[in-house]
Amino acid sequence: MRYYQLPGGKSGVGSDSLVVATDEGAYNLSSASDDLGLFTDLARAANACGESVDDIASDRISDAESVDLDDEDALLPVTPDEVWAAGVTYQISEQAREEESGKPEVYMDVYDSERPELFLKATPSRTVGPHEAIGIRGDSEWNVPEPELGVVLHRGEVVGYTAGNDVSSRSIEGENPLYLPQAKVYDRCCSIGPCVATSDAVGDLYDLEMTLTIERDGEIAYEDSTSTSEMATTCERLVEYLRRHNPLPETTVLLTGTALVPPKSFTLTAGDRVTIDIDGIGRLVNDTVVV
């Protein structure tokens, strides 16, 4: 199943609503229960009952109103208390880091190591949803989107998956690896959406096509695709290391790295439209502003 947050009016009621999409249709779970206004509410109910979020949703569908679902209406599907991210998880990611950095051995060591690179990416105030603007730093010469598969955790346990954009300053990170927080963490540096998809909807995590398209002035300025089959690590290992000696907040999203990096000759500019497509999850679209 896939879970969306829809704005008031679009879901048939006055307030934002949690909508579940199944093979049979889309249903407003908030109309079935006042306690299911957000995906986090659903995850809490599942945790309390010792069931999956899909089990809880399935039990409520018969009482829920049917709605028309359009990805264009989707809001931020879940508000994570923290967004974390992983680096150097694809072969191309290692190559790109070597090209941009004066210290490529740092990234080569991580690629060959058992311990992955993990870093805090964003807080709620720095995270945007579908059709909101992502930000690029005004003090950076090379800014890129980084499309990534996101793992959604509730109280440390995986409850679904989403698409994420780890917007980054390659020039700042390349100047010195110690500048990573400034290259990664700033206003509007992260987007996630359009939904939270559970395992049945996603299927094989390591056979998902991921596409990045950047439009500028109505024309495609960059487009490429890859597959999660190119991951050099696993989501399970990344989650396991994230939880080590690190109490996670109630809701966490872990972005699992990228293999789609525009060349050094390309940088995002204000007005660019970035589209990320991931099999089983859907399309995340954001325009770009300078922050």
Side-chain angles (χ1 to χ4, degrees):
M1 296 181 176
R2 298 178 183 87
Y3 298 90
Y4 297 81
Q5 196 73 27
L6 294 190
K10 295 292 185 179
S11 55
V13 295
S15 57
D16 294 352
S17 299
L18 176 64
V19 171
V20 59
T22 71
D23 292 338
E24 288 73 38
Y27 306 91
N28 180 6
L29 293 176
S30 300
S31 69
S33 172
D34 291 338
D35 294 326
L36 296 179
L38 302 168
F39 181 80
T40 300
D41 298 330
L42 183 67
R44 287 171 180 165
N47 185 73
C49 297
E51 300 182 18
S52 71
V53 292
D54 286 348
D55 289 337
I56 299 296
S58 296
D59 289 343
R60 302 299 187 278
I61 283 177
S62 60
D63 298 322
E65 297 175 357
S66 178
V67 297
D68 293 326
L69 177 63
D70 188 338
D71 277 10
E72 293 292 323
D73 299 323
L75 303 174
L76 185 69
V78 63
T79 302
D81 300 296
E82 295 176 353
V83 179
W84 288 73
V88 203
T89 56
Y90 289 77
Q91 177 70 36
I92 188 66
S93 177
E94 178 197 11
Q95 294 170 353
R97 296 291 180 84
E98 288 186 42
E99 290 177 1
E100 78 185 20
S101 177
K103 301 177 177 61
E105 67 278 359
V106 173
Y107 300 102
M108 294 174 64
D109 287 347
V110 170
Y111 186 79
D112 294 329
S113 174
E114 170 64 22
R115 182 183 296 275
E117 177 194 10
L118 296 171
F119 54 89
L120 184 63
K121 170 62 184 177
T123 55
S125 66
R126 295 177 174 89
T127 305
V128 302
H131 310 293
E132 295 184 86
I134 53 174
I136 52 175
R137 292 183 63 119
D139 61 352
S140 170
E141 298 175 354
W142 183 21
N143 301 287
V144 296
E146 296 188 10
E148 308 190 13
L149 173 67
V151 181
V152 182
L153 300 101
H154 179 77
R155 296 179 178 167
E157 299 299 324
V158 177
V159 292
Y161 304 90
T162 192
N165 190 345
D166 170 18
V167 194
S168 304
S169 166
R170 290 284 186 170
S171 57
I172 291 176
E173 182 182 357
E175 186 177 345
N176 191 306
L178 294 180
Y179 295 158
L180 179 71
Q182 296 173 76
K184 293 288 190 178
V185 185
Y186 56 88
D187 187 25
R188 297 179 177 270
C189 63
C190 178
S191 66
I192 58 174
C195 67
V196 176
T198 53
S199 296
D200 287 346
V202 172
D204 185 354
L205 280 181
Y206 306 106
D207 190 25
L208 303 177
E209 183 177 14
M210 186 185 308
T211 301
L212 170 65
T213 305
I214 304 172
E215 298 174 75
R216 181 174 295 166
D217 299 325
E219 298 184 353
I220 295 177
Y222 177 86
E223 187 172 37
D224 201 359
S225 62
T226 189
S227 170
T228 54
S229 63
E230 299 299 318
M231 289 185 72
T233 185
T234 65
C235 296
E236 292 81 2
R237 184 165 75 94
L238 296 175
V239 169
E240 191 271 322
Y241 269 91
L242 178 64
R243 291 190 297 213
R244 286 190 180 188
H245 313 286
N246 183 29
L248 298 178
E250 182 177 25
T251 304
T252 307
V253 170
L254 171 61
L255 304 182
T256 58
T258 190
L260 296 175
V261 180
K264 198 168 185 178
S265 58
F266 181 93
T267 185
L268 280 176
T269 62
D272 287 352
R273 173 160 292 186
V274 180
T275 301
I276 296 168
D277 282 286
I278 301 181
D279 283 347
I281 295 173
R283 177 173 295 177
L284 174 62
V285 182
N286 300 99
D287 290 332
T288 306
V289 296
V290 177
V291 297

